[in-house]
């Protein structure tokens, strides 16, 4: 029998989901249907949320689990009356913070993901466009502006990582695919040499690489275990030769790759 | 005098940061220096974290605020001894969850952003590449596969929104820029007509659009208030004529635009 988890928020719901996913990941044995209720900012939307939770409690025959980041006191009290287990982030943490800081919290609704700082927003959008313009070695003349240049073989996760670094941290991340030509004489491409200190390498297990490539071009030389094995060996030899910091991305999510790059290199994020 | 906020995690630190940012956004009057300590997974790294927090307490002359998502009991106890106000997410929520669910939590470290499901991961990466391949009207022949097609004038936030929808929700999001040609006779481009039900419009205040465009091409016709005003009026007339749901993105973050699109359209995310 499935449980239902609700993520209730007066904003996007992203904080409630992040908190909730983190908690639910500690209970893998229990299966949860997940429902996000964002923009709960009025008595009416709060009443609707409570009604939805109560109907689910009846349908499931079990209390839903409710992760709430609601800020408004009246709405939190209303939600507290629902037929679910309410885990109230505001109640848990704002009290101790108010005491510590000696100030009342603003109780402002929908704050977490609002644009507060147009300059920070501009950096973020600019970083996304930088990642797009400098994807896959398409251009190399803007590497002066790069915070990091990811190198690796085709389909090792460079592009999604660059986009995540841009969106999450406002970093200017370029990427450059290394190919057989580069491996032949074990050298770095000319365009990368002046920026050697910004290079970070992604490597991947040859088996996994072959599986990923096969989804795109089954039966091709490009996807063959032999080719993948050769490319990865040569890549790692290159990283060794030029002392390039690197990471095996095989079992890592985009978030893990991105945050490990920051931890390993000490690159400072441009957005908090 | 600045306070310092620490985000301490046995994984990427993203949950701790999200929780912390959400709480700190309720105390805008207080300025915080922010430090993320990810991958705290051993006695040694926990000791280092405690030492760092204690040094900061001395330097600041004020207790740091510590948002922790550590799971391991021993490490949490060690962190609890530091000279900061520790806000422990695990302590606050796992107890009530264990009682409610009637099972012990797994206490597994680094779970939140780990890859658990290779199929979900494949969808996510595939969605990112879809957004790239179908950005800015570059291709229109894959619109059958789209979950949503964003339309709007140049520089209204379509591209970052598509990438966010892909990374966060695994959605296949294309975007198509509407230009003067389309406005002349107030019609939708041929390539969009068969997919009218997937179209979502982004609009923007003409003043803001002119400011954004001026950063790229100052003094151009493209960035002129007159041109921006004309384009936005025509765009909104088009949305009206074809009954296209839309959103004014001027004061919204990428997260807000993305989650409001889901809320307005009822599109189901492909990733939880």
């Amino acid at each position: 029998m499935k449980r239902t988890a609700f993520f209730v928020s007066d904003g996007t719901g992203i904080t409630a989901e992040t908190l909730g996913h983190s908690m639910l990941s500690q209970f893998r044995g229990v299966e949860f249907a997940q429902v996000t209720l964002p923009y709960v900012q009025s008595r009416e939307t709060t009443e609707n949320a409570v009604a939805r939770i109560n109907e689910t409690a009846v349908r499931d025959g079990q209390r839903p689990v409710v992760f709430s980041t609601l800020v408004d006191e009246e709405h939190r009290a209303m939600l507290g009356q629902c037929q679910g287990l309410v885990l109230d982030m505001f109640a848990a943490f704002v009290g101790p913070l108010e005491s510590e800081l000696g100030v009342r919290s603003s109780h402002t609704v929908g704050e977490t993901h609002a644009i507060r700082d147009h300059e920070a927003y501009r950096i973020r959008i600019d970083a996304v466009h930088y990642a797009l313009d400098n994807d896959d070695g398409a251009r190399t003349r803007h590497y002066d502006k790069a915070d990091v240049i990811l190198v690796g073989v085709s389909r090792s996760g460079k592009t999604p990582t660059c986009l995540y670094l841009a969106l999450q941290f406002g970093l200017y991340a370029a990427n450059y695919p290394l190919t057989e030509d580069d491996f032949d004489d074990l050298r770095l491409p000319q365009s990368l040499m002046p920026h050697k200190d910004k290079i970070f390498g992604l490597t991947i297990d040859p088996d996994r690489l072959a599986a990923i490539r096969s989804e795109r071009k089954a039966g091709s030389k490009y996807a063959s275990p032999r080719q993948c094995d050769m490319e990865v060996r040569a890549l790692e030899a290159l990283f060794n030769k030029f002392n390039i910091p690197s990471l095996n991305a095989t079992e890592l999510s985009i978030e893990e790759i991105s945050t490990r790059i920051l931890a390993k290199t000490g690159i400072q994020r441009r957005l908090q």
Side-chain angles (χ1 to χ4, degrees), chain A:
Chain A
M1 202 152 61
K2 234 184 192 176
R3 286 264 186 174
T4 304
F6 284 91
F7 310 116
V8 182
S9 164
D10 50 43
T12 63
I14 292 166
T15 304
E17 288 178 8
T18 306
L19 168 71
H21 289 165
S22 179
M23 288 293 108
L24 298 184
S25 73
Q26 293 296 321
F27 297 92
R28 289 261 180 260
V30 186
E31 212 184 325
F32 287 93
Q34 301 181 22
V35 181
T36 303
L37 303 176
Y39 303 109
V40 174
Q41 300 186 338
S42 64
R43 286 184 61 90
E44 194 196 339
T45 46
T46 311
E47 277 165 11
N48 292 345
V50 169
R52 181 109 181 246
I53 293 163
N54 291 350
E55 287 158 19
T56 306
V58 172
R59 195 200 58 203
D60 288 356
Q62 302 202 80
R63 290 216 295 176
V65 174
V66 182
F67 295 93
S68 162
T69 56
L70 291 189
V71 166
D72 181 88
E73 234 150 301
E74 188 191 1
H75 302 158
R76 284 171 46 227
M78 289 167 67
L79 187 69
Q81 298 302 312
C82 79
Q83 307 297 316
L85 170 72
V86 179
L87 300 170
D88 180 333
M89 195 182 73
F90 196 84
F93 298 129
V94 156
L97 271 173
E98 288 184 340
S99 311
E100 177 66 29
L101 302 173
V103 288
R104 280 270 292 165
S105 77
S106 63
H107 284 62
T108 324
V109 160
E111 270 293 280
T112 310
H113 291 95
I115 296 181
R116 290 180 303 274
D117 175 350
H118 278 286
E119 176 56 15
Y121 189 70
R122 197 194 59 74
I123 289 174
R124 192 181 190 200
I125 301 294
D126 201 43
V128 169
H129 286 286
Y130 183 88
L132 291 176
D133 291 344
N134 297 279
D135 183 41
D136 208 29
R139 288 195 193 84
T140 61
R141 65 178 185 277
H142 302 303
Y143 283 177
D144 281 340
K145 199 181 171 184
D147 292 308
V148 64
I149 304 165
L150 297 188
V151 300
V153 297
S154 166
R155 287 277 147 170
S156 52
K158 302 183 298 301
T159 297
T161 303
C162 284
L163 291 168
Y164 189 83
L165 288 168
L167 276 166
Q168 185 80 7
F169 303 125
L171 290 172
Y172 293 83
N175 74 81
Y176 192 99
L178 292 175
T179 62
E180 279 197 84
D181 294 342
D182 306 305
F183 298 142
D184 276 350
D185 33 11
L186 219 61
R187 57 177 188 183
L188 279 178
Q190 280 296 333
S191 49
L192 288 178
M193 284 307 288
H195 310 285
K196 207 188 134 300
D197 294 347
K198 295 180 178 180
I199 299 176
F200 192 94
L202 290 188
T203 181
I204 182 171
D205 292 353
D207 293 353
R208 179 87 193 112
L209 181 64
I212 295 170
R213 287 183 173 182
S214 289
E215 277 168 24
R216 279 171 78 88
K217 296 187 186 170
S220 64
K221 183 190 168 203
Y222 167 79
S224 68
R226 187 192 159 95
Q227 176 71 19
C228 291
D229 195 59
M230 182 282 286
E231 288 189 27
V232 171
R233 272 169 199 260
L235 180 76
E236 292 178 353
L238 208 60
F239 291 165
N240 261 325
K241 181 175 170 186
F242 289 95
N243 223 352
I244 294 170
S246 70
L247 198 60
N248 185 323
T250 309
E251 290 295 330
L252 301 180
S253 70
I254 299 166
E255 286 84 352
E256 290 173 313
I257 299 171
S258 301
T259 53
R260 282 170 198 262
I261 290 172
L262 295 196
K264 274 203 170 200
T265 60
I267 294 169
Q268 292 300 305
R269 55 183 82 188
R270 292 177 188 275
L271 300 177
Q272 281 297 347

